[in-house]
Amino acid sequence: MKESIYLKSIDEGYVDSFLSGNIFMKNVKYFHEVEDGDIGGVADETENMAFRIFKEQEAPVWHFPGISRPLIGESISFSNALTDKVSICCFAKIPFGQYELLPNNVLKLSHQYYEDLREFRKRPCVLLEEKDMEKIIYSILRQLSPNQRLFHEPVEYYDCSNITIERNKAAEYGDPFAYTKYKLKEKYRHEHEYRLAVNTKEPEDVTFSLENKVGKKVSIVEQSH
């Protein structure tokens, strides 16, 4: 398959639930209190969640059968209290050419990705194809309330010591998520993160249930040099 794949690192006790189609999203407030290394996460004060801001009539729309929902919002740092009402689900995105899927659910990663995901590989991993990710996004969109939004995109990176922080113009639209743009620091680039996120009424974890099973559990090995 000439496409990217997605890997989800999951505690052993939750693998079967995820494969059955239960997509768990952790509240961002939890990550405020996590030190780097405790769960293989990132203790970075500039890490962000982004919701794209557009005027309602200009908003790009993610189309699925029977659903047209604009993606609206803008970037906001995880350190800001507004993100307490955002829940996320994270994956590692592996581009075509950096992996090979073998029989018996053995996944070979290139040397670069195998090393980059060293911490990630300490827990069981589930592989998702592009069609699996589309299925997840479609299902989440169907279950959102009218005032909820879905964000899905690779996490971008920059070195905060060498960039001009720009003020977002979206505040004029009166959106509560309008804030200064932030991205992860360059040193966290190795995580290759792809993130799904939704806003919630209260600081809470959420689970979206799919109608069908999704993904497969894989064993990860390194490609020969």
Side-chain angles (χ1 to χ4, degrees):
M1 50 186 175
K2 295 185 177 181
E3 59 183 28
S4 297
I5 59 172
Y6 305 84
L7 292 178
K8 178 66 176 172
S9 178
I10 310 175
D11 287 336
E12 184 67 52
Y14 296 99
V15 171
D16 288 342
S17 178
F18 184 91
L19 293 172
S20 296
N22 296 309
I23 310 304
F24 177 76
M25 305 183 80
K26 191 73 175 176
N27 179 254
V28 167
K29 188 174 182 180
Y30 167 76
F31 297 98
H32 296 173
E33 303 165 0
V34 175
E35 291 297 328
D36 193 13
D38 285 354
I39 59 168
V42 178
D44 181 3
E45 70 280 3
T46 62
E47 184 171 357
N48 86 324
M49 184 62 257
F51 285 85
R52 292 176 180 165
I53 287 283
F54 294 87
K55 292 181 179 178
E56 191 72 31
Q57 64 271 24
E58 298 174 353
V61 175
W62 184 273
H63 291 282
F64 281 100
I67 296 178
S68 295
R69 185 182 298 277
L71 307 178
I72 309 175
E74 188 45 87
S75 301
I76 180 170
S77 170
F78 272 12
S79 63
N80 189 281
L82 287 177
T83 58
D84 288 353
K85 295 183 179 181
V86 173
S87 294
I88 64 175
C89 183
C90 303
F91 306 81
K93 186 174 183 178
I94 315 297
F96 176 72
Q98 300 295 326
Y99 70 89
E100 180 182 1
L101 185 57
L102 303 177
N104 300 317
N105 294 335
V106 174
L107 179 66
K108 275 190 175 183
L109 294 181
S110 68
H111 176 71
Q112 173 194 344
Y113 277 77
Y114 188 82
E115 289 299 315
D116 286 351
L117 299 176
R118 184 184 297 109
E119 293 296 321
F120 191 93
R121 293 186 282 106
K122 290 182 178 179
R123 300 193 298 178
C125 289
V126 170
L127 181 150
L128 301 170
E129 299 178 23
E130 290 282 4
K131 63 182 180 181
D132 295 316
M133 184 59 70
E134 290 180 1
K135 186 187 301 183
I136 290 172
I137 292 171
Y138 174 50
S139 181
I140 292 176
L141 285 172
R142 291 184 62 186
Q143 297 176 61
L144 293 181
S145 63
N147 64 341
Q148 286 185 297
R149 301 165 186 171
L150 171 67
F151 172 84
H152 55 97
E153 197 169 79
V155 177
E156 298 176 346
Y157 305 84
Y158 66 55
D159 185 345
C160 295
S161 64
N162 189 30
I163 192 168
T164 301
I165 304 297
E166 298 179 356
R167 184 69 181 177
N168 190 295
K169 295 182 180 180
E172 65 189 77
Y173 301 142
D175 193 287
F177 288 101
Y179 200 66
T180 307
K181 295 182 179 179
Y182 290 99
K183 302 294 181 185
L184 283 174
K185 292 181 178 178
E186 182 70 14
K187 66 181 180 179
Y188 298 119
R189 181 176 56 185
H190 66 277
E191 295 198 340
H192 309 292
E193 186 178 348
Y194 187 91
R195 182 179 292 161
L196 303 180
V198 297
N199 57 310
T200 57
K201 291 183 179 180
E202 301 294 335
E204 59 184 349
D205 302 334
V206 294
T207 299
F208 294 94
S209 296
L210 281 61
E211 295 179 357
N212 301 303
K213 295 182 178 181
V214 62
K216 64 186 74 172
K217 185 178 178 181
V218 293
S219 300
I220 298 177
V221 298
E222 181 182 3
Q223 288 181 349
S224 301
H225 294 284

